[in-house]
Amino acid sequence: MRALLVVNPAATTTSARTRDVLIHALASDLKLEVATTEYRGHARDLGRQAVQRGEIELVIVLGGDGTVNEVVNGLLHAGPAPDVLPRLAVVPGGSTNVFARALGLPNDAVEATGALLAALHAGSERTVGLGLAAGTPGTEDAEVPARWFTFCAGLGFDAGVVGRVEQKRERGRRSTHALYVRQVVRQFLGETHRRQGTITLRRPGQEPVQDLALSIVCNTAPWTYLGNRPVYAAPRASFDTALDVLGLTRLTPSAVTRYGTQLLLSSPERGPRGKHAVSLHDLTDFTLDSQVPLPFQMDGDHLGLRTSVTFTGVRRALRVIV
């Protein structure tokens, strides 16, 4: 099988020696080309070029969720066609690796490579659904291009946390779970709309859900990980359905304490719940509108401020080796 390995050399949990070992192992079973990313968006360009060449059957990503997201957007540049596009495989190399772990892959790069080779020998793959987010027609964000995401997106509080973490990393701080926790506290202290949310969720043929202070869109469960602990914002979310949404209408100290504790204690059977929590399952089309510009993130990548985002849940979007 002809394969392209996209390597992010800045991946936080793999050394140059480890990458060399993994490349050697993959090259023993595949007709392998290796490309190292050199700039933001390079992985997306490599994914698109792999499709355009027409001879690559498999694209393997060695990196974190951000690199995976870029490759997926390159592969789906012209839209989903799972029976035609190259398959995707992931070797986790980032700090969290939500997409790979949600697929059931080991979080260790060497173990994941072994699992990948075993899956290739067995012909084991699945077709997963993905989320698509775009600017909403008729709004100031109408020209924002559509972008795919693999496991989550967020408008508001959680995206603000992601933005704060990115700023710290750009200043040389290492991405750790302790860093995320500190930024959650700082985002809360600086949140100006925690008592009265500014977000409205609109669905065709349904009454709008108003006054959301936080909105998390999930394409799978868990939503994220704290170390080895999975966190379930929307336990019923799945790669086999459309999108799920968790919204909170208040972010007061008591509400944050309650729902934060519920998230920490969440399970595949039980997520956040209560009078200020809104949980919606298997949504194909909906829009999040905000009265003020809010931070927006996809797959842990901060994308700036948005006032309106239109979401589409696309079932059977891409084949993945598992």
Side-chain angles (χ1 to χ4, degrees):
M1 180 182 292
R2 185 180 291 274
L4 171 67
L5 174 64
V6 177
V7 178
N8 179 3
T12 56
T13 59
T14 55
S15 65
R17 177 174 293 182
T18 299
R19 291 193 291 270
D20 289 341
V21 170
L22 301 183
I23 290 169
H24 181 75
L26 293 169
S28 65
D29 277 31
L30 299 165
K31 192 171 184 179
L32 189 70
E33 299 178 30
V34 180
T36 301
T37 59
E38 300 175 357
Y39 53 85
R40 189 181 182 100
H42 193 188
R44 179 196 60 225
D45 296 340
L46 292 169
R48 183 172 64 248
Q49 291 163 11
V51 174
Q52 293 170 343
R53 287 171 57 185
E55 59 188 16
I56 300 296
E57 301 170 79
L58 172 67
V59 178
I60 307 168
V61 183
L62 174 52
D65 289 311
T67 309
V68 173
N69 178 278
E70 287 193 12
V71 169
V72 166
N73 275 276
L75 292 174
L76 274 65
H77 176 73
D83 296 330
V84 177
L85 293 174
R87 300 167 180 85
L88 175 73
V90 180
V91 177
S95 58
T96 309
N97 308 305
V98 177
F99 181 64
R101 295 163 82 176
L103 288 169
L105 296 172
N107 198 36
D108 176 79
V110 175
E111 292 182 15
T113 300
L116 167 59
L117 291 172
L120 287 169
H121 289 157
S124 178
E125 64 179 56
R126 65 180 293 191
T127 302
V128 300
L130 298 172
L132 183 67
T136 304
T139 71
E140 61 186 66
D141 293 324
E143 301 303 317
V144 175
R147 179 165 172 169
W148 296 91
F149 60 97
T150 63
F151 65 91
C152 84
L155 180 67
F157 184 85
D158 77 304
V161 174
V162 169
R164 288 176 178 270
V165 171
E166 284 193 4
Q167 289 178 352
K168 296 296 182 182
R169 293 186 64 184
E170 289 171 358
R171 297 171 187 167
R173 299 289 296 277
R174 184 175 176 83
S175 179
T176 64
H177 298 293
L179 176 63
Y180 273 90
V181 171
R182 288 195 295 272
Q183 301 318 307
V184 167
V185 174
R186 290 174 181 172
Q187 180 67 23
F188 171 74
L189 294 175
E191 181 62 55
T192 57
H193 304 288
R194 60 192 185 196
R195 289 189 176 274
Q196 182 70 37
T198 66
I199 303 169
T200 298
L201 186 150
R202 307 182 193 278
R203 294 173 286 168
Q206 302 286 334
E207 289 295 317
V209 180
Q210 298 178 313
D211 300 330
L212 297 177
L214 173 149
S215 55
I216 297 172
V217 182
C218 293
N219 185 50
T220 189
W223 165 50
T224 190
Y225 290 83
L226 287 176
N228 291 323
R229 176 186 287 276
V231 180
Y232 296 87
R236 294 189 293 166
S238 167
F239 288 127
D240 298 320
T241 62
L243 302 173
D244 282 29
V245 177
L246 169 68
L248 298 180
T249 57
R250 298 190 72 183
L251 290 176
T252 59
S254 60
V256 168
T257 300
R258 176 179 182 178
Y259 295 116
T261 301
Q262 290 180 357
L263 280 170
L264 291 175
L265 299 177
S266 60
S267 70
E269 294 77 33
R270 196 170 179 85
R273 60 216 172 269
K275 66 178 181 179
H276 300 303
V278 177
S279 296
L280 301 172
H281 176 58
D282 198 14
L283 305 186
T284 301
D285 298 286
F286 63 95
T287 297
L288 294 176
D289 295 316
S290 175
Q291 300 168 27
V292 299
L294 293 176
F296 180 57
Q297 68 88 12
M298 295 173 66
D299 286 348
D301 187 10
H302 187 266
L303 300 178
L305 301 178
R306 299 284 191 273
T307 56
S308 185
V309 186
T310 294
F311 291 89
T312 306
V314 180
R315 296 175 177 83
R316 294 187 53 80
L318 190 66
R319 289 182 298 172
V320 181
I321 303 297
V322 290

